[in-house]
Amino acid sequence: MSGNTFGTLFAVTNFGESHGPAIGCVIDGCPPGMALSEADIQGDLDRRRPGTSRHVTQRNEPDAVQILSGVYEGKTTGTPIALLIQNTDQRSKDYGQIAQQFRPGHADFTYWKKYGIRDPRGGGRSSARLTAPMVAAGAVAKKWLAERHGVAFRGCMTQIGDIAIPFESWDHVPNNPFFAPIADVSELEAYMDRLRKAGDSCGARIRVTATHVPVGLGEPLFDKLDAEIAYAMMGINAVKAVEIGAGFDSVTQRGTTHGDSITPTGFVTNNAGGILGGISSGQDLEVSIAIKPTSSIISPRQSIDIHNNPVEVVTKGRHDPCVGIRATPIAEAMLALVVMEHVLRNRAQCGDLQQQQKELAEKSEAASPQASFL
């Protein structure tokens, strides 16, 4: 009931608070025998970590991960993998004035009403800092999926505030702090500088994809792959909407356009986002998420305190003017965790059938070398 564990066969239990001594997770169900070290995880954590540019929070956390268990002589043992990330740059005094107040847009009010107590330091358990352990777990899933199935994950920002970002190339994404697929981000930098000076914040739209996804992941009814993806993405802090494939554009499409035609060599389009009837089609998974404006801003806003007195809230401290800037590796990680879970489920239920289909396909290809989609 506590809602701190994501997944069943590849179960990730997240723990910690924003200003506690450490945060981390325990991964239960990782298959044995995979080579794994901190270096396999650190790269994705470095992409997400704070303090990497002037456009994000200046809290300077190295986010250095430690593997505490589940790995022996450099390989996973099949037992729980405990990952720990120390908090080293907390400034809890920044939150002293709001300990008795509810910040608009934050979880302060709902946490206090639900539990009767809350940790106001950096948002406590509701802080986006708790996405770091999920990125670490996602890196483990990414490695296994890449080695066993060739699955690859990548993401980019497609809009920040009211600025739509055209897609130029995936090659540009690692070369700027926005994860933007464009060469020139000067307009985005100027926009963020104006926003920070104004004491305000903005939202963002993030696109994340998975390629070489096995066919057959997901269930026909309640555990549809797209439903599981939406559940995972909505678990990311500040996410307010999720689209699969054409998403809301499906409303204006006609059936003659939206339905992805199939030829002997494959699908013609991908409006379905790689999922048909809740089951992966083998096409790229295409997911977009909408992230709301950062709630922690220095502009005064109206609220109340725990005694129901009206107050004016000013949130001090070090905050992202757009939390979406660092959301791309988080969305990649959550998509990887969903795919990992369903690959393991599918292997358990349909592994024998898939081996038979593979053998039949190899025999058919040997008899007739013509390229076939089936």
Side-chain angles (χ1 to χ4, degrees):
M1 290 177 63
S2 57
N4 296 308
T5 299
F6 182 86
T8 303
L9 297 186
F10 193 87
V12 181
T13 300
N14 182 301
F15 66 85
E17 292 84 30
S18 177
H19 285 215
I23 55 177
C25 67
V26 176
I27 305 170
D28 199 358
C30 182
M34 179 179 72
L36 184 68
S37 68
E38 284 91 348
D40 295 316
I41 302 170
Q42 195 61 52
D44 275 354
L45 284 172
D46 289 344
R47 295 170 66 217
R48 191 222 70 97
R49 77 177 186 89
T52 54
S53 79
R54 72 177 188 272
H55 306 296
V56 300
T57 172
Q58 296 305 293
R59 178 174 175 174
N60 190 16
E61 294 283 358
D63 281 356
V65 66
Q66 297 173 263
I67 299 177
L68 303 183
S69 66
V71 176
Y72 177 68
E73 294 184 341
K75 292 189 176 181
T76 56
T77 62
T79 59
I81 300 171
L83 304 177
L84 188 72
I85 301 169
Q86 301 284 347
N87 287 330
T88 63
D89 190 29
Q90 310 99 310
R91 281 203 331 214
S92 300
K93 60 181 177 61
D94 290 340
Y95 299 88
Q97 292 184 345
I98 62 169
Q100 306 295 312
Q101 302 173 346
F102 303 123
R103 294 168 295 175
H106 267 284
D108 298 346
F109 175 77
T110 50
Y111 264 60
W112 187 72
K113 292 292 286 185
K114 180 177 176 66
Y115 299 109
I117 186 173
R118 68 181 176 93
D119 182 351
R121 304 168 304 165
R125 185 72 179 146
S126 65
S127 171
R129 176 130 187 83
L130 275 301
T131 60
M134 305 311 292
V135 170
V140 177
K142 281 181 178 182
K143 183 171 186 184
W144 191 89
L145 290 167
E147 291 181 354
R148 294 302 183 95
H149 297 280
V151 185
F153 300 87
R154 55 189 177 184
C156 65
M157 179 183 284
T158 58
Q159 184 171 344
I160 187 166
D162 52 10
I163 301 179
I165 303 172
F167 184 88
E168 294 177 1
S169 172
W170 287 110
D171 294 337
H172 299 311
V173 173
N175 298 325
N176 63 79
F178 300 95
F179 297 90
I182 55 176
D184 183 3
V185 296
S186 58
E187 182 184 8
L188 309 185
E189 291 182 319
Y191 179 79
M192 293 309 300
D193 288 341
R194 291 194 300 270
L195 200 65
R196 185 181 288 278
K197 290 178 181 178
D200 215 336
S201 61
C202 72
R205 182 184 176 110
I206 306 298
R207 172 193 175 196
V208 59
T209 73
T211 57
H212 305 297
V213 177
V215 180
L217 306 185
E219 312 302 335
L221 199 57
F222 297 117
D223 290 339
K224 289 180 170 69
L225 185 61
D226 40 1
E228 298 271 283
I229 290 171
Y231 171 74
M233 295 299 165
M234 289 301 296
I236 300 173
N237 304 63
V239 170
K240 301 302 291 184
V242 181
E243 288 187 324
I244 311 291
F248 284 101
D249 288 342
S250 303
V251 175
T252 58
Q253 291 178 336
R254 301 292 178 89
T256 49
T257 302
H258 180 79
D260 300 313
S261 299
I262 311 174
T263 72
T265 57
F267 291 93
V268 177
T269 54
N270 191 17
N271 289 302
I275 304 169
L276 294 168
I279 300 172
S280 62
S281 65
Q283 291 181 278
D284 294 352
L285 297 182
E286 286 284 351
V287 184
S288 288
I289 59 175
I291 298 176
K292 71 175 185 177
T294 309
S295 297
S296 293
I297 55 177
I298 61 174
S299 295
R301 287 170 297 165
Q302 182 179 351
S303 187
I304 59 173
D305 63 19
I306 61 172
H307 304 294
N308 203 42
N309 297 314
V311 294
E312 187 178 71
V313 175
V314 175
T315 307
K316 298 179 181 179
R318 300 163 294 176
H319 305 286
D320 297 84
C322 176
V323 289
I325 290 178
R326 294 191 290 131
T328 295
I330 304 168
E332 290 176 14
M334 296 308 296
L335 184 59
L337 291 175
V338 174
V339 173
M340 182 73 181
E341 172 75 16
H342 279 274
V343 165
L344 294 179
R345 285 193 205 181
N346 200 49
R347 184 174 69 168
Q349 182 183 23
C350 302
D352 292 341
L353 172 63
Q354 290 167 356
Q355 181 61 33
Q356 293 172 13
Q357 291 176 335
K358 181 180 179 181
E359 293 171 356
L360 287 173
E362 289 173 349
K363 289 180 181 178
S364 176
E365 185 177 351
S368 175
Q370 179 180 354
S372 174
F373 175 52
L374 296 177

